Amino acid sequence: MDDPTFKLETVNKLLQQFFRDKQKTKCNGDAIKLMTELLRIFVAEGAARAVQQAKVESSPTVETDHLEKILPQLLLDF
Amino acid sequence: MAASGEELEDEEYEALAYQQLLKAALHYTVGRICEKEGGESGLQFSRRFIAALTETTFKQCESFATDLELFAKHAKRTQINCDDVQLLARKSSALAAHIDDMSKEIAKAHEADKANRKTKKAKKSKPAQESAAVVEIEDES
């Protein structure tokens, strides 16, 4: 895959630190792969929607204002 | 935060530093993904946007992790597997289909791996036939 994506190790540690039962809960290798893809899509989707919002407002750069506008729907979709 | 600086214990400091490390790693990749997205559309992303998106992703990760843990717990497991992630991606049908495809691909790769190992164990009794069968299955998809 050419698309830039997260490192599996990063995703694993990120999830691990959020678990409530840190000793017991483990993550399968395949599950990590899927989670990495899910996170990549989340970020890419957020960026793409913000780009669209910036285009609608004919702004040359994508700013936090644009993120603010697309954030509610983005969070509802994930 | 600054006022309670002295009250923070070593462990809390360490946890905070660890979190910062993870955020830095996240920030780097988010930046790269945005760069690619910006290259395609010809727009520039501001630094604040990337930082905000990183923060959003970090928070979202927390909810993902809690959900995954609870899904696994509900299935009376302590290990999170592909099924849990598939359940996590249920909210949008296109995303669910994509994750479904990917998990099938991974499962297929595992089967091919197993088949390969079996042929190796059998000391080349009929490795050509088996590997040919695997290739055929992959072509069909």
Side-chain angles (χ1 to χ4, degrees):
Chain A
M1 218 191 293
D2 275 333
D3 295 337
T5 191
F6 298 99
K7 281 185 190 163
L8 297 179
E9 192 62 19
T10 309
V11 176
N12 188 16
K13 289 195 170 147
L14 202 57
L15 291 175
Q16 198 67 46
Q17 61 135 5
F18 283 129
F19 292 148
R20 240 164 271 159
D21 203 343
K22 288 188 176 66
Q23 269 83 45
K24 268 189 187 169
T25 313
K26 289 272 151 55
C27 222
N28 199 328
D30 297 347
I32 298 281
K33 273 186 203 160
L34 286 180
M35 271 314 287
T36 308
E37 177 70 359
L38 192 69
L39 279 181
R40 186 190 71 77
I41 291 174
F42 178 78
V43 174
E45 188 68 30
R49 288 184 194 192
V51 162
Q52 235 169 13
Q53 185 62 33
K55 274 185 180 164
V56 167
E57 296 177 19
S58 52
S59 158
T61 55
V62 186
E63 297 288 341
T64 37
D65 302 8
H66 305 126
L67 181 66
E68 274 173 31
K69 280 173 192 156
I70 56 109
L71 193 58
Q73 191 58 48
L74 184 72
L75 293 185
L76 279 175
D77 286 341
F78 279 86
Chain B
M1 278 295 248
S4 64
E6 282 176 40
E7 289 161 29
L8 276 180
E9 302 209 348
D10 282 357
E11 269 179 39
E12 284 178 74
Y13 263 130
E14 248 168 56
L16 214 64
Y18 187 61
Q19 230 178 39
Q20 294 299 324
L21 270 180
L22 284 173
K23 269 189 196 174
L26 208 62
H27 190 279
Y28 167 73
T29 312
V30 170
R32 278 186 51 199
I33 294 174
C34 283
E35 216 171 79
K36 185 171 174 282
E37 207 71 45
E40 282 167 7
S41 64
L43 284 179
Q44 282 263 321
F45 285 90
S46 73
R47 285 171 165 271
R48 288 176 60 201
F49 174 87
I50 292 173
L53 190 56
T54 306
E55 205 62 39
T56 312
T57 314
F58 193 76
K59 282 277 175 205
Q60 189 68 12
C61 247
E62 185 172 356
S63 102
F64 282 160
T66 355
D67 278 359
L68 283 176
E69 194 177 17
L70 289 174
F71 290 159
K73 203 176 172 189
H74 185 70
K76 297 189 173 62
R77 279 187 269 106
T78 55
Q79 198 183 46
I80 289 156
N81 64 21
C82 289
D83 294 343
D84 299 324
V85 185
Q86 270 166 276
L87 201 57
L88 189 70
R90 74 197 174 281
K91 283 175 194 162
S92 112
S93 54
L95 182 65
H98 178 74
I99 293 291
D100 213 39
D101 284 349
M102 226 183 130
S103 96
K104 273 178 194 156
E105 243 171 63
I106 289 173
K108 204 180 276 176
H110 275 305
E111 265 176 42
D113 242 24
K114 256 187 201 169
N116 278 344
R117 246 177 262 156
K118 264 185 194 169
T119 50
K120 269 183 193 168
K121 270 186 186 172
K123 285 186 182 173
K124 297 172 189 173
S125 55
K126 40 179 181 175
Q129 278 177 0
E130 286 224 19
S131 60
V134 169
V135 170
E136 268 174 29
I137 291 168
E138 277 169 0
D139 281 346
E140 275 169 16
S141 69

